[in-house]
Amino acid sequence: MKAAALTAPERVDVIDVPEPACGPRDVVVRMLGVGLCGTDTAVVRGRRKTPQLPWVLGHEGVGEIVAVGESIRDRQVGQRVAVEPNYCCLSCDPCQAGFTSGCRKRNAVGLTTPGLLAERVAVPAAFAHPIADHVSLADLVCVEPLTVARAAVRRSGAREQQHCLVLGAGSQGLLLCQSLLEIGITPAVQEPHAGRRELAMSLGATVGDTHQEVDHVFETSGAPGALDAALERLRPGGHATVVGMNSAPLAVSSHAIVSQQWSITGSLIYDHPVDFADTIAALEKGALEPHRVLQARFHLDEAAEAFTAVAATPGKCWISFEG
Ligand SMILES: [Zn+2]
Ligand SMILES: [Zn+2]
């Protein structure tokens, strides 16, 4: 069967790989769609090392169950599922406390365990979340990055009517805007790229430089210096949630943090199984339309082109296994 893999530094090819074996606690998923994000391009460009080459890429995947392991009773062939691509161990102290994003033995699909850009993939059944048939494939493809965004909003404690500033309108920034709109907040967005700004506005965010004080800042751009500049607008007692990453140190002083009583918190992925379950319930209710962030669709055979398009395309690129 076919898979899209990194075969050499910065080279993506469609290669032949063996069929997956279905372990007793696994399901085999026939993939229908896989979204691409900055993490994938970091792998392709060599900024994140892979255990070996060739390396099957992709972690934002959805599909249909085609085989069920012998110990699994609550999954069926034919169900559509979204893959939660961080396999936490469920037994370490953080996992036992429900803080699975802090798992010390977490396997990250596409990073430490092979990715989802293959025609069929074996997935631990607990991490293959069934979703109702009326949710469109395009909305389903966004479940994973949307769950990252919704978990950041949940952890921030942002409430209806509060003033929120989102830094960056890449796909994570756009999904964060949708997650804020979902709870009755109209976010203000800062983004240098005109196409991304327009997309944010079309979703209902406001853009443009105001100097209004804000209750929350969400940093999704990963641009060095972005958070420091935005803190000037954070009210005393305000909360900054950091999702985007870079390795430059922050310039904010402890004097500023103490005198302004700011909370600055990192938000990494989501916690199992509550955050995925919550996003899926919201999509089944029709509470938001993440497919509006999808802007470019490619076929598996065009994987190399798709990875090149990720950085230049406002919104999200995805790979469809159909048609
Ligand atoms: Zn991603
Ligand atoms: Zn764990």
Side-chain angles (χ1 to χ4, degrees):
M1 65 169 191
K2 290 193 286 190
L6 185 70
T7 53
E10 305 207 39
R11 188 184 165 95
V12 175
D13 287 301
V14 176
I15 61 168
D16 241 323
V17 296
E19 286 287 338
C22 188
R25 305 202 58 77
D26 292 343
V27 292
V28 174
V29 179
R30 177 175 73 86
M31 301 309 295
L32 296 171
V34 173
L36 305 182
C37 78
T39 303
D40 301 301
T41 48
V43 171
V44 170
R45 298 214 177 115
R47 291 198 305 271
R48 296 189 76 152
K49 297 284 165 233
T50 58
Q52 65 197 55
L53 290 178
W55 183 253
V56 177
L57 298 158
H59 59 278
E60 301 176 1
V62 301
E64 183 186 317
I65 295 179
V66 292
V68 178
E70 61 193 30
S71 308
I72 300 302
R73 298 281 168 269
D74 56 356
R75 298 289 187 277
Q76 286 140 33
V77 168
Q79 275 180 319
R80 280 195 318 163
V81 290
V83 178
E84 179 179 352
N86 282 281
Y87 305 155
C88 47
C89 77
L90 299 174
S91 57
C92 69
D93 287 348
C95 279
Q96 290 279 303
F99 178 53
T100 69
S101 51
C103 176
R104 300 186 204 290
K105 288 179 276 181
R106 178 163 59 88
N107 253 321
V109 176
L111 292 172
T112 61
T113 195
L116 301 177
L117 271 169
E119 289 180 290
R120 284 165 294 280
V121 178
V123 176
F127 294 85
H129 296 264
I131 188 159
D133 288 342
H134 68 267
V135 178
S136 73
L137 175 61
D139 279 333
L140 195 51
V141 164
C142 300
V143 166
E144 198 271 347
L146 178 62
T147 306
V148 173
R150 291 173 92 258
V153 171
R154 170 180 69 74
R155 291 163 175 162
S156 76
R159 300 184 311 275
E160 199 176 350
Q161 306 296 340
Q162 284 190 315
H163 294 292
C164 293
L165 175 64
V166 176
L167 307 178
S171 47
Q172 189 52 229
L174 295 169
L175 292 167
L176 216 137
C177 287
Q178 285 196 319
S179 307
L180 291 168
L181 286 156
E182 185 195 349
I183 59 167
I185 292 169
T186 301
V189 171
Q190 261 179 27
E191 162 63 52
H193 186 290
R196 295 198 177 109
R197 277 201 306 273
E198 274 164 36
L199 202 45
M201 277 195 289
S202 76
L203 298 177
T206 60
V207 296
D209 261 333
T210 67
H211 294 283
Q212 188 184 32
E213 218 175 47
V214 297
D215 303 294
H216 290 269
V217 172
F218 293 90
E219 156 46 20
T220 74
S221 72
L227 180 63
D228 283 305
L231 288 175
E232 288 171 17
R233 290 178 55 188
L234 189 60
R235 71 158 166 79
H239 198 144
T241 302
V242 186
V243 182
M245 289 187 260
N246 66 72
S247 46
L250 291 174
V252 62
S253 67
S254 54
H255 180 272
I257 293 172
V258 174
S259 60
Q260 297 297 312
Q261 300 189 65
W262 287 330
S263 303
I264 302 176
T265 323
S267 184
L268 180 69
I269 57 167
Y270 30 73
D271 293 303
H272 177 85
V274 288
D275 285 314
F276 250 74
D278 202 53
T279 299
I280 285 170
L283 291 178
E284 288 178 341
K285 267 194 302 193
L288 68 183
E289 301 180 307
H291 70 266
R292 293 171 66 187
V293 169
L294 294 181
Q295 296 289 309
R297 168 178 158 158
F298 297 83
H299 187 263
L300 180 65
D301 294 328
E302 305 165 318
E305 208 181 324
F307 280 95
T308 309
V310 171
T313 308
K316 209 166 175 59
C317 296
W318 69 291
I319 290 180
S320 162
F321 288 72
E322 297 182 318

